Amino acid sequence: MTSAQVTEAPEEGYERGLGSRQVQMIAIGGAIGVGLFLGAGANIAKAGPSLILMYALAGGVIFFIMRALGELLLYRPVSGSFAEYSREFLGPFFGYFTGWTYWLMWVVTGMAELTAAAIYVHYWFPSVPQWVTALVFLLALFVANLISVKLFGEIEFWFSMVKVTALIGMIVIGLGVLTFGFSAAGDTATVSNLWQFDGFFPKGVGSSLMTLQGVMFAYLAVELVGVTAGESANPEKTLPKAINTLPWRIALFYVGALTVILCVVKWTEFAEGVSPFVKAFAVIGIPAGAGIVNFVVLTAALSSCNSGMYSTGRMLRTLADNGEAPKTFGRLSARRTPALGITVSVAFMAIGVVLNYIVPEKAFGYVTSVATAAGIWTWLMILISHVRYRREVVSGRLPASSFPAPGGSVCSWIAIAFLVFVTGLIAYDADSRICLYVMAGWAMALGIGWLVLRNRTPGTTGPREPALEKVL
């Protein structure tokens, strides 16, 4: 394959219906999830103010990952990019494994988010069974994803707008309390809250580092920009802009918001199971503050589930077009959406509706840890593919991307080492270790599937030109 053929993005048949406004908000929304709105409470209790540093550290690594992905995307912008780059630079098996693992990540995340959304609605309507609410949300988002990518983009735009507005509002209000001393928290709100209660690392550095696994879960979905590459109206312009704005989004929405909250309310008042934003609004004394935050967290859960439906359908189509999933998943509907892939993914997510009956709350912690492990695998494949790509560029075998990552492959190696370290933390923690057992079982299942696929149809286990012109 010549360089010209490699760098030419295939016409995949998708409608390029995502404009700059929508891609920007999808990128922003991917960096603001339920992991921040809810998970930060438990992590504050474990790490105290040092959690701010953990989010900043992880955010820097996420930026390295996204710049590596950005260089690959501008080298060859395709939908299902993670699997495609793994396939090109590491071999067909890694493309197959990455595609299916990313699909698993979003399916299990969708299960958890559906139930979370139902719990949030239960706050206002306690008489409505949670499984009914979960089913209604599942069907509504399913229909929206079938209609068109434009509708998906518009829904995601407004979901992200709600989250962004809420966080900016919280920051502004918190700064007002710190500066002017109004509200019930005015007398105790001070920057010294960051260190005067047993220091910046009140539970020790080790306890702070153990929160990194939860912090990384909060950043899941930031790579969703890569999945939109095949449906972005102008990927050469919109994708670099979305990626380059990531540092300020992390600085403002994670580091900034947590810093303000921990200055307004001392860290000892936060506990697991309570959103730090709900707690902060309650201490400040804002009327209906809990209800406002509950609505925001609801949109965060629905946004995540919406993104899951979008990405799983595209990933199944990529797998099908490489002979690694049933061929029928490769077909597009008349509206140019991978309707069958979305439908099958939603059917698996519907298990989350059933889980509302039978699974205790702790089981959803296991589900999210599985999603984190799958996400770490995806990020590692992006980074390793980028290292291999840079090697090819340096040797002159591939053309350079128009959006090179700063430092070449050095930052990718740093990010790889960090992700391996986080995986070690997961293995060390008894509660989260179970996800590694699940992933080991998943790897065995995929390995068996690969052997069966290779023996039955040897020609499908190598790279080939995708048959993406098929439209129902």
Side-chain angles (χ1 to χ4, degrees), residues 357-372:
Y357 282 119
I358 60 176
V359 179
E361 185 177 345
K362 191 170 184 179
F364 280 93
Y366 295 150
V367 169
T368 55
S369 68
V370 170
T372 303

Side-chain angles (χ1 to χ4, degrees), residues 178-209:
L178 286 169
T179 304
F180 303 107
F182 63 81
S183 86
D187 294 335
T188 57
T190 173
V191 176
S192 63
N193 282 339
L194 295 178
W195 59 80
Q196 68 177 358
F197 296 97
D198 297 323
F200 190 69
F201 292 90
K203 300 291 185 70
V205 176
S207 182
S208 298
L209 289 175

Side-chain angles (χ1 to χ4, degrees), residues 22-53:
Q22 293 166 324
V23 172
Q24 287 294 319
M25 269 303 178
I26 289 172
I28 292 173
I32 307 172
V34 175
L36 172 63
F37 286 114
L38 287 181
N43 287 327
I44 290 172
K46 294 177 183 177
S50 64
L51 183 65
I52 299 169
L53 181 61

Side-chain angles (χ1 to χ4, degrees), residues 300-315:
L302 294 179
S303 170
S304 180
C305 190
N306 188 42
S307 297
M309 291 182 189
Y310 171 86
S311 57
T312 51
R314 274 70 184 171
M315 196 57 71

Side-chain angles (χ1 to χ4, degrees), residues 36 42 90 132 198 203 207 219 280 295 299 312 322 329 331 338-339 343 348 354 374 379 386 395 403 416 456:
L36 172 63
L90 299 173
V132 173
D198 297 323
K203 300 291 185 70
S207 182
Y219 284 121
F295 174 73
T299 64
T312 51
N322 285 280
F329 288 142
R331 297 181 179 273
T343 302
F348 278 93
V354 179
W379 291 335
H386 177 253
S395 66
F403 187 49
I416 289 170
R456 286 185 176 179

Side-chain angles (χ1 to χ4, degrees), residues 48-206:
S50 64
L51 183 65
I52 299 169
L53 181 61
M54 297 301 105
Y55 271 106
L57 176 63
V61 171
I62 290 295
F63 180 62
F64 292 162
I65 295 170
M66 291 304 295
R67 281 305 302 257
L69 177 59
E71 182 166 0
L72 291 170
L73 286 172
L74 270 295
Y75 150 68
R76 191 163 67 93
V78 289
S79 186
S81 55
F82 325 121
E84 285 299 301
Y85 301 138
S86 299
R87 181 174 292 107
E88 178 177 350
F89 295 107
L90 299 173
F93 175 76
F94 287 93
Y96 158 83
F97 194 98
T98 301
W100 278 110
T101 300
Y102 195 66
W103 176 85
L104 172 71
M105 184 195 90
W106 275 115
V107 165
V108 296
T109 299
M111 292 180 193
E113 302 293 8
L114 276 174
T115 298
I119 292 172
Y120 304 146
V121 171
H122 196 256
Y123 171 84
W124 293 301
F125 305 103
S127 61
V128 178
Q130 289 185 15
W131 72 269
V132 173
T133 308
L135 182 60
V136 169
F137 283 141
L138 179 72
L139 294 177
L141 294 177
F142 172 53
V143 171
N145 271 269
L146 288 184
I147 292 175
S148 73
V149 69
K150 287 183 178 179
L151 183 57
F152 158 78
E154 201 62 29
I155 291 174
E156 201 58 29
F157 174 86
W158 289 108
F159 278 159
S160 296
M161 184 66 76
V162 169
K163 293 185 285 187
V164 169
T165 302
L167 281 177
I168 292 177
M170 182 68 236
I171 293 171
V172 171
I173 291 170
L175 290 175
V177 173
L178 286 169
T179 304
F180 303 107
F182 63 81
S183 86
D187 294 335
T188 57
T190 173
V191 176
S192 63
N193 282 339
L194 295 178
W195 59 80
Q196 68 177 358
F197 296 97
D198 297 323
F200 190 69
F201 292 90
K203 300 291 185 70
V205 176

